[in-house]
Amino acid sequence: MLIPLADATAATCGAKAGTLGRLVRARLTVPDGFVVPFAVHRAAPHGEPPDDLRDHLARSLATLGDVPVAVRSSAADEDGLHASAAGQHETVLAVQGADTVVAAVRTCWASLGSARAVAYRDATADGTAGKPTMGVLVQRLVEADVSGVMFTAPDAVTVIEASWGLGTSVVGGTVTPDTYRVATDGTVTCAVADKRTRVDRDGTRVVTRDVPEPDRTRPTLADDEARRLARLGRRIADVLGGAQDIEWAVAGGTTWVLQARPVTAPPPGRPSGDEHGAPPAHGAPHAGPGTLVGTPGSRGTATGPARVVRGPGDFARVRPGDVLVCPWTDPAWTPLLRLAAGVVTETGGVLSHAAIVARERGIPAVLGVAGATSTLADGVTLTVDGDGGTVTTSA
């Protein structure tokens, strides 16, 4: 009923769990855990876990030391070569005890039918046919000091995004992270962001706190740490065979690999004339009258009316061809990406889940435009340049 993570394969547990199993077998540092495989979900009537699952979970949790765990989806249509399903299914963090893990498994299974997951599958040409199914990962929760995402390949520049605390804020786009580029010759370039919030475990809750003022603009990684991460990323790319999108966390000086999947849609390239690919400065000022500057998030140019979206209550106002202007793009907003001509956010990095989905959908995006929801009036015509990182209002 449960499979040790070291024995997980994509065929039985989904690509997310199967890939981590490969990395465990390659002796990389992956949090201990196990998987509730496809077979249990397929046999579950109406998505209800079988009665004996709790006892199996209790025994396996005891082997981990009954510590807080992360319960994460590993669906059959996640982490593919051409479709990531990034952020489309649920993750439940800081779970402790067999009863709450059973409930978290149920939550992950149910997320297969969420509006965002259904919209993603409907828009993905190579989505899995038939009834979707899911494995569920249960792993020791890493109490991260710093965490983030990197895009890496064996012989290419590695892009790293990092922020304080758990990686939820980076992948969810609710913080603008520090951005590092590590060239193959070891040269490191960095844009330090104003990291205003962090996510941490508080008992069996996950809480968002303000970052103390001195730490907001303090670099999260030293150059040597960025180089070590890049070397780790290249090793993972070698093991898995190709460019990888990797979630990582550093806790007490140890770097943990939380996830690795193929890069489905690379971010826009480095600015022209920049030999080592230095990232643009975060929170850049106006480039000129009527123009705001942010981080290039998804290639292309689009023009349309601005639609300021601050939360789900604004979803009904979005019309086809609108340019979404929002604080950030939560993965729950994926259905809007079927309507939007472009996306502008106030926070977030190019490796966040929503930015990845925007690139998969071919929707131009500019990220980290401070004050966008108050500066850009609803209905004004905007031109979004996802390659240059600019947002221009029509005269």
Side-chain angles (χ1 to χ4, degrees), residues 88-89 111-123 338:
Q88 301 311 302
H89 304 116
S111 69
L112 280 169
S114 68
R116 72 192 195 222
V118 171
Y120 185 90
R121 286 197 299 273
D122 287 348
R338 301 187 69 179

Side-chain angles (χ1 to χ4, degrees), residues 81 151-154 156 233 236-238 240-246 261-264 266:
L81 287 171
F151 274 22
T152 190
I236 293 170
D238 285 338
L240 300 179
Q244 295 294 310
D245 167 359
I246 299 163
R261 60 182 165 214
V263 172
T264 56

Side-chain angles (χ1 to χ4, degrees), residues 133 136 348:
T133 189
V136 179

